Amino acid sequence: MTKNILLLAGDGIGPEVVAEAVRVLKWVGAHAGTSFHFDEALIGGSAYDAVGTPFPAETLSKAKAADAILLGAVGGPKWESLDYSVRPERGLLGIRKELDLFANLRPAMCFAPLADASSLKPEIISGLDIMIVRELTGDIYFGQPRGVTMENSHRVGRNTMVYADWEVQRIARIALDLARVRGKKLCSVDKANVLEATEMWREEVQKIRDAEYTDIELSHMYVDNAAMQLVRAPKQFDVMVTGNIFGDILSDCAAMLTGSLGMLPSASLGSETGGKRAALYEPVHGSAPDITGRGIANPVATILSAAMMLRYSFNLHAQAKLVEDAINAVLADGLRTGDIMQAGARHVGTKEMGDAILAKLDTLSSTQRGAA
Ligand code: NAD
């Protein structure tokens, strides 16, 4: 059966890293007997330049029709002076909202060959495998009222943290389901000591766990402590669940544990309707304007995002694992893009890294066939 994949390459290094992930997906398609059909659409600053909006209607209709979406990145200095309503980031927030992509899965894994690259000691980071589940469609990014107004001759900036109980319950279920197939431990992160909205969050997560997931060990942690614990002893965590803004910050903190933003994938999932779940896969990093067009961006985060697509949208678990193994093997061979460069390693560019991963896929799959 044909799987329709929509490519939203976006801005900056987006097109460079998406191109490498597409090569990997094509390899998997050819070897798994699955036919992937690729379509493309505009998003972000490049969409604004072409049609005057960061999230064109055509992009939305293609996104709704697709089985899965692979996005590069949006944004850059060129569009920073635009009104907020047409900034590239509005494209990203728009697609999340329109497809109701409420669950953002951000794994932070430490590939063994990179344990030395972390700013933390290898014994603290080695073997790290945590999953941060970030609520993505609510919270202060969407709450009303918002904006800057004049009040008593002063400019006043305002954003509002809002969560409804059902929003907390559905993200809690996603996180508890993940915990069930992983280490059976969930830590819910909030700021219940000062923010009523997150006090409600805490109560609702606890309610769902007590009613439906008594096999899962649930703990609660304030966000400031969670940030500290992530750096002090990250391996204490298995699955973490939190709101949109706390998740934004904590997942970038987790990113640095593993060495580089260039290594971190993500998945954003919606509700399941008619047997189909809306799903967008993208690297955690942004458009990296400082290195755009130089062929030096690390494509691994995007390739790992494609592996998540294989796993969560297409149930191709063995193929997802093969892609991850190929990346691990390439790193073990000492190949590094600039962001993860280490003494004695071989410095490669974006395409060379893609080439090496494809070659490793060939080797690993023929080894597997030989063993079978
Ligand atoms: P960034 O992630 O783009 O870059 C941060 C640093 O990490 C830079 O030094 C960059 O060169 C490096 N980096 C990022 N990805 C890399 C990769 N794959 N390989 C090698 N190095 C990499 O974050 P930023 O500089 O804060 O933001 C730049 C632009 O991206 C802004 O316009 C921002 O709004 C946007 N942004 C978009 C997204 C997204 O599309 N999801 C996420 C974050 C930021």
Side-chain angles (χ1 to χ4, degrees):
M1 209 165 82
T2 300
K3 306 286 187 195
N4 293 303
I5 299 174
L6 179 65
L7 304 173
L8 301 175
D11 309 320
I13 60 168
E16 301 169 44
V17 291
V18 165
E20 297 311 310
V22 169
R23 293 169 74 204
V24 168
L25 285 169
K26 283 183 175 163
W27 186 98
V28 171
H31 288 77
T34 307
S35 153
F36 293 134
H37 174 263
F38 297 94
D39 196 359
E40 293 179 9
L42 295 166
I43 196 160
S46 47
Y48 175 81
D49 287 348
V51 293
T53 164
F55 186 39
E58 189 191 359
T59 301
L60 176 59
S61 71
K62 283 186 175 186
K64 282 185 171 162
D67 293 310
I69 302 163
L70 183 66
L71 185 138
V74 298
K78 183 178 175 194
W79 302 284
E80 266 164 18
S81 56
L82 290 175
D83 186 80
Y84 266 102
S85 62
V86 287
R87 289 242 186 120
E89 292 73 16
R90 299 310 302 180
L92 200 51
L93 296 178
I95 197 167
R96 288 174 182 166
K97 194 78 182 169
E98 287 293 337
L99 298 187
D100 200 18
L101 301 173
F102 67 89
N104 189 214
L105 277 47
R106 294 189 169 200
M109 282 187 307
C110 182
F111 284 93
L114 291 185
D116 285 340
S118 171
S119 53
L120 299 187
K121 295 188 194 99
E123 62 269 26
I124 291 180
I125 198 74
S126 175
L128 179 78
D129 178 9
I130 61 181
M131 176 73 85
I132 299 186
V133 180
R134 167 188 170 194
E135 202 289 332
L136 208 56
T137 53
D139 209 341
I140 199 159
Y141 295 142
F142 295 99
Q144 295 289 344
R146 65 183 300 155
V148 180
T149 50
M150 287 302 291
E151 293 176 22
N152 299 324
S153 310
H154 291 284
R155 297 177 77 218
V156 177
R158 183 176 284 106
N159 292 92
T160 310
M161 179 177 274
V162 185
Y163 268 118
D165 55 2
W166 58 270
E167 290 178 292
V168 182
Q169 290 163 8
R170 66 179 183 171
I171 193 79
R173 286 195 179 93
I174 294 254
L176 286 157
D177 279 339
L178 278 167
R180 196 168 258 168
V181 296
R182 291 174 48 100
K184 294 204 177 339
K185 264 171 58 178
L186 175 65
C187 177
S188 173
V189 176
D190 58 48
K191 189 72 183 169
N193 49 342
V194 283
L195 298 172
E196 291 86 346
T198 73
E199 193 181 353
M200 188 274 289
W201 170 287
R202 180 178 285 224
E203 290 163 2
E204 292 299 324
V205 174
Q206 188 68 50
K207 219 186 284 176
I208 297 296
R209 181 266 168 199
D210 292 348
E212 302 167 29
Y213 296 86
T214 48
D215 54 322
I216 308 298
E217 183 190 321
L218 172 66
S219 60
H220 301 275
M221 198 177 274
Y222 297 140
V223 63
D224 40 353
N225 187 24
M228 226 155 54
Q229 295 300 332
L230 265 177
V231 178
R232 193 187 68 85
K235 281 190 271 184
Q236 70 183 282
F237 298 112
D238 175 23
V239 181
M240 300 176 87
V241 65
T242 190
N244 206 342
I245 190 163
F246 297 158
D248 195 358
I249 298 162
L250 289 183
S251 54
D252 272 13
C253 173
M256 277 300 106
L257 300 179
T258 64
S260 168
L261 273 172
M263 297 295 299
L264 277 183
S266 77
S268 301
L269 309 177
S271 307
E272 203 170 316
T273 40
K276 192 169 120 176
R277 190 186 284 281
L280 180 144
Y281 299 85
E282 58 178 321
V284 167
H285 62 71
S287 60
D290 52 334
I291 58 166
T292 295
R294 293 165 55 193
I296 60 171
N298 187 349
V300 169
T302 313
I303 295 172
L304 286 171
S305 303
M308 290 183 83
M309 176 190 289
L310 297 172
R311 185 173 281 130
Y312 296 114
S313 283
F314 303 142
N315 275 324
L316 294 171
H317 295 271
Q319 288 78 2
K321 172 86 171 50
L322 190 68
V323 171
E324 290 161 357
D325 287 348
I327 290 168
N328 195 51
V330 166
L331 295 171
D333 284 350
L335 272 68
R336 302 282 186 277
T337 45
D339 57 316
I340 52 171
M341 190 57 197
Q342 290 167 294
R346 197 177 123 214
H347 194 187
V348 296
T350 313
K351 181 157 182 312
E352 224 176 332
M353 183 57 103
D355 289 343
I357 292 167
L358 286 171
K360 202 57 87 173
L361 282 168
D362 281 334
T363 316
L364 290 179
S365 69
S366 61
T367 312
Q368 281 183 355
R369 274 199 309 276

